[in-house]
Amino acid sequence: MKHGKKYVDAAKLVDRTKLYDTTEALDTVVKTATAKFDETIELHVKLGVDSRHADQQVRGAVVLPNGTGKKVRVLAICKGENEKLAQEAGADFVGAEDMTQKIQQENWMDFDVLITTPDCMGLVGRLGRILGPRGLMPNPKAGTVTPDIARAVKEAKAGKIEYRLDKTNIIHCPIGKASFGTEKLSENLNTLMGAIVKAKPAAAKGQYIKSCVVTSTMGPSVRINPTKFGA
């Protein structure tokens, strides 16, 4: 794969043979984020589990202390008093049958997170084929199916992210923007890693955190020493 001059220059700042500590890794990633836009900083963690087995799944959600730097559009599917609570909490779109029909009939997808209450899961369940492949299907483990709709909406707007294994046993998550700086990114990274370590399945054997890498949208990856996280 051929890279542009900016990427090549940025890659020269990274020692590919080195396992960095968190602060140094993030400092390096911020320095190599030289695009004309505010690049997203991402964390990629390979785990020593097998996602094919139900007892080795790793999934959850966590509120990043400094948010993600992205404006999150929240759709709340609920009824009655919960509609008012969701609106007051800052939901961008609120409704029930009208919103599910809009998604089904118009293929409307102008939202980043869908939150619903347990009594409306019957409505949302019909959207599984549409929402599932996009990773937007609400789930109790992620806190997106909850009777406390107001709290869920506020957390989503504040920077709550969901983490889950892909088929190659890797978790991919944004932890902020390059403009955050090393300190805020470090706080977000440590919060996310703490949640991932806490979610370690009882069935997991051997080394849990196999590798840990941070990267910017357009820049090179930087490897973090996984032993720092004690798993």
Side-chain angles (χ1 to χ4, degrees):
M1 183 177 178
K2 193 173 181 179
H3 293 289
K5 184 179 182 299
K6 279 190 175 182
Y7 181 96
V8 172
D9 289 342
K12 291 175 183 177
L13 301 175
V14 180
D15 184 348
R16 296 286 186 181
T17 65
K18 180 178 178 180
L19 292 176
Y20 290 75
D21 65 33
T22 303
T23 302
E24 190 180 5
L26 290 170
D27 193 41
T28 303
V29 163
V30 169
K31 285 178 181 175
T32 58
T34 57
K36 292 181 180 179
F37 61 93
D38 193 4
E39 295 184 50
T40 296
I41 307 300
E42 301 168 356
L43 175 68
H44 306 273
V45 186
K46 185 171 180 62
L47 300 181
V49 296
D50 189 342
S51 61
R52 293 174 297 178
H53 300 293
D55 62 352
Q56 294 187 46
Q57 286 294 326
V58 179
R59 180 177 186 175
V62 63
V63 178
L64 299 181
N66 300 298
T68 62
K70 177 185 176 183
K71 184 182 177 184
V72 180
R73 300 166 299 173
V74 176
L75 165 61
I77 292 183
C78 50
K79 295 179 178 179
E81 181 65 19
N82 282 322
E83 289 194 46
K84 182 182 177 183
L85 293 173
Q87 287 173 339
E88 290 175 348
D92 299 272
F93 311 101
V94 181
E97 287 90 349
D98 55 333
M99 300 309 296
T100 57
Q101 287 175 5
K102 187 176 178 72
I103 292 170
Q104 281 181 310
Q105 296 172 10
E106 301 175 26
N107 201 29
W108 176 78
M109 300 296 293
D110 292 338
F111 56 92
D112 304 299
V113 179
L114 193 161
I115 298 170
T116 189
T117 48
D119 61 312
C120 286
M121 267 308 289
L123 282 173
V124 178
R126 302 171 194 168
L127 305 174
R129 289 184 180 179
I130 301 171
L131 301 175
R134 294 175 170 85
L136 291 170
M137 192 68 183
N139 184 285
K141 287 185 179 179
T144 44
V145 179
T146 173
D148 193 348
I149 194 86
R151 179 182 175 183
V153 170
K154 287 177 182 176
E155 288 182 341
K157 299 294 282 187
K160 186 174 186 176
I161 61 167
E162 183 179 355
Y163 59 87
R164 61 187 300 181
L165 285 175
D166 67 8
K167 291 179 181 179
T168 60
N169 306 316
I170 299 175
I171 289 173
H172 311 271
C173 282
I175 56 169
K177 297 288 186 178
S179 61
F180 280 20
T182 301
E183 187 176 343
K184 287 185 177 180
L185 288 170
S186 184
E187 289 175 357
N188 281 357
L189 184 148
N190 287 329
T191 298
L192 176 56
M193 286 303 300
I196 292 171
V197 170
K198 192 175 179 180
K200 180 181 179 180
K205 304 298 180 185
Q207 185 179 354
Y208 180 52
I209 307 294
K210 290 284 191 180
S211 66
C212 186
V213 173
V214 284
T215 182
S216 60
T217 306
M218 304 295 288
S221 59
V222 181
R223 298 193 300 159
I224 294 176
N225 189 344
T227 60
K228 174 194 183 306
F229 304 106

